[in-house]
């Protein structure tokens, strides 16, 4: 196989790019790039019942959005193509014929009903269901009889007896299986399409794959693939199986966990940054040396050490992802943050799609107020709600501020100073608050909190002079007058 590191990510075009699959792709990508090897995308599309239109294109689009680039694949070609399994059927057939000729595989004519009855009987006897080998050694007459009945055969691999399969897993160390754990397994289905474990082994050999990093659910597939490598006298790749991703309750991440968004497309649509997703996902089951958690892709490539792949399940923490994305948003330029956020304000009907220059300038100023606070683009709609309300429903916490005895004096004083402003600006508003302090002798929270609550309806928020400026003269006067009426 040579010394070149060649890894593959092999998506099925069955839908959107899932967090778990994205992690598999990222780890393979980082492993290859760290060691100067090649990263290959191979599309496993033989399960036509589950394939969806546009599934492959969707997978590739969101891998690219995350920042991954590959050296070979169906979209760019390469020396070892084709890179879609449905375009490799003639290759698989050659090896099926060889196995049949050598007696290492055979045709099985059992129906689904017969196989299910066999499994039911085994379960009833307390056995682990597996194929019994009932059609392992059919006579010519039996074969003719089954074919006369119109039965379509599957093709099964003849599992060697009394054989031990051991492989040194990159993550878990030595793992051992006995051949007696397996019944003769199907390598070609009744419809003539090769099964996953057979096709994968053929492809990995032909594409000179040196290392296979994948989820732990594939551990039991590994000995089957090793059987195929052994049957043809090929060297198997080195395997590594990553641990499960769990939710906060330490349950396996399920697509039914609706409180956790699980597809990369969802995060993109919410206004998460690809660099943050790349960072967060890479730390699901792998850890760097030290306490630092924020890295660029280039830094990850440099420091990625497969020895630090975790043997414990990874916990998907949505709050941690929000925090991490906020760190990246803080580092982003205002233009980038506007691009991330503005579409959500338009989609929510807060701003028109066709804005004039003055409206666009106002929108940019508004988003800039929340640049440091924003966790993801769509959050801007909730954060800026106060700027689009016609009426304010004051919370109990806000009313507690407005009931303080100095509030009427402070608000009346602020309204007078605010009305004296000739040209509205954050600086002029700041000066009017300072003048209110001087006139009323109130300062600190006694001064700022009543003004903040009366003008914004909130006890916490962005820089007050900037918020008042963006709300505008008419709204501010109306809100302060309404509060003065309210607390009479």
């Amino acid at each position: 196989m040579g010394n070149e590191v060649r890894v593959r990510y092999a998506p099925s075009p069955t839908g959107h790019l899932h967090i778990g699959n994205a992690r598999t792709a990222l780890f393979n990508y980082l492993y290859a790039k760290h060691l100067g090897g090649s990263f290959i995308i191979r599309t496993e599309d033989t399960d036509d019942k589950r394939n969806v239109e546009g599934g492959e294109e969707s997978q590739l689009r969101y891998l690219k959005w995350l920042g991954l680039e590959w050296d070979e694949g169906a979209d760019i070609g390469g020396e070892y193509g084709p890179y879609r399994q449905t375009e490799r059927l003639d290759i698989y057939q050659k090896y099926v014929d060889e196995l049949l000729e050598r007696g290492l595989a055979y045709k099985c004519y059992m129906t689904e009903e017969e196989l299910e009855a066999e499994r039911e009987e085994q379960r009833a006897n307390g056995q682990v269901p597996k194929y019994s080998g009932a059609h392992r050694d059919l006579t010519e007459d039996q074969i003719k009889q089954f074919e006369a009945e119109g039965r379509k055969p599957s093709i099964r691999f003849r599992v060697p007896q009394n054989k031990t399969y051991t492989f040194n897993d990159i993550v878990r160390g030595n793992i051992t299986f006995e051949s007696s754990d397996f019944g003769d397994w199907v390598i070609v289905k009744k419809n003539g399409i090769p099964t996953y474990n057979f096709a994968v082994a053929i492809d990995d050999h032909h594409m000179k794959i040196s290392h296979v990093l994948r989820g732990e659910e594939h551990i039991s597939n590994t000995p089957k693939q090793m059987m195929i490598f052994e049957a043809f006298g090929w060297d198997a790749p080195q395997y590594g199986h990553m641990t499960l991703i769990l939710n906060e309750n330490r349950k396996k991440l399920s697509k039914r966990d609706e409180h956790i968004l699980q597809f990369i497309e969802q995060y993109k649509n919410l206004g998460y940054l690809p660099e943050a997703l790349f960072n967060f996902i890479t730390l699901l089951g792998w850890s760097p040396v030290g306490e630092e958690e924020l890295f660029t892709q280039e830094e990850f490539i440099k420091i990625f050490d497969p020895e630090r792949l975790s043997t414990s399940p990874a916990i998907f923490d949505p709050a941690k992802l929000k925090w991490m994305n906020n760190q990246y948003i803080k580092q982003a330029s205002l233009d980038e943050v506007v691009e991330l956020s503005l579409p959500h304000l338009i989609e929510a009907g807060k701003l028109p799609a066709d804005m004039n220059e003055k409206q666009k300038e106002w929108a940019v100023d508004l988003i800039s107020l929340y640049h440091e606070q924003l966790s993801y683009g769509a959050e801007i709609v909730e954060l800026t709600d106060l700027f689009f309300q016609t009426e304010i429903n004051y919370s109990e916490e806000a009313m507690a501020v407005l009931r303080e005895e100095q509030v009427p004096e402070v608000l009346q004083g602020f309204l007078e100073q605010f009305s004296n402003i000739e040209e509205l600006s954050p600086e002029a508003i700041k000066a009017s608050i300072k003048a209110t302090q001087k006139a009323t002798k109130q300062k600190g929270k006694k001064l700022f909190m009543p003004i903040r609550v009366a003008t914004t309806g909130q006890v916490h928020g962005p820089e007050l002079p900037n918020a008042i400026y963006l709300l505008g003269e008419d709204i501010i006067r109306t809100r302060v007058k309404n509060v003065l009426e309210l607390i009479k």
Side-chain angles (χ1 to χ4, degrees), residues 236-254:
Q238 186 171 2
Y239 296 97
H241 293 90
M242 298 166 287
T243 57
L244 294 173
I245 301 176
L246 307 181
N247 64 22
E248 308 101 304
N249 299 319
R250 304 192 73 80
K251 298 285 176 63
K252 182 181 177 182
L253 197 61
S254 162

Side-chain angles (χ1 to χ4, degrees), residues 89-156:
L89 297 180
D90 56 334
I91 299 173
Y92 307 135
Q93 189 59 51
K94 170 188 169 186
Y95 292 103
V96 171
D97 292 343
E98 182 178 335
L99 290 175
L100 286 169
E101 190 178 323
R102 292 167 57 196
L104 298 179
Y106 59 92
K107 294 179 179 180
C108 170
Y109 292 86
M110 288 185 76
T111 65
E112 249 331 297
E113 293 74 21
E114 289 169 339
L115 289 167
E116 183 53 38
E118 184 178 270
R119 289 190 288 265
E120 284 297 326
E121 185 179 347
Q122 290 169 334
R123 290 189 194 101
N125 294 331
Q127 299 170 312
V128 177
K130 66 180 180 181
Y131 177 65
S132 65
H135 285 195
R136 210 170 205 254
D137 299 299
L138 294 175
T139 65
E140 285 297 321
D141 287 343
Q142 287 174 311
I143 291 172
K144 286 177 183 177
Q145 177 61 38
F146 286 136
E147 291 189 347
E149 293 173 13
R151 294 197 187 197
K152 295 282 186 187
S154 61
I155 299 175
R156 291 183 180 270

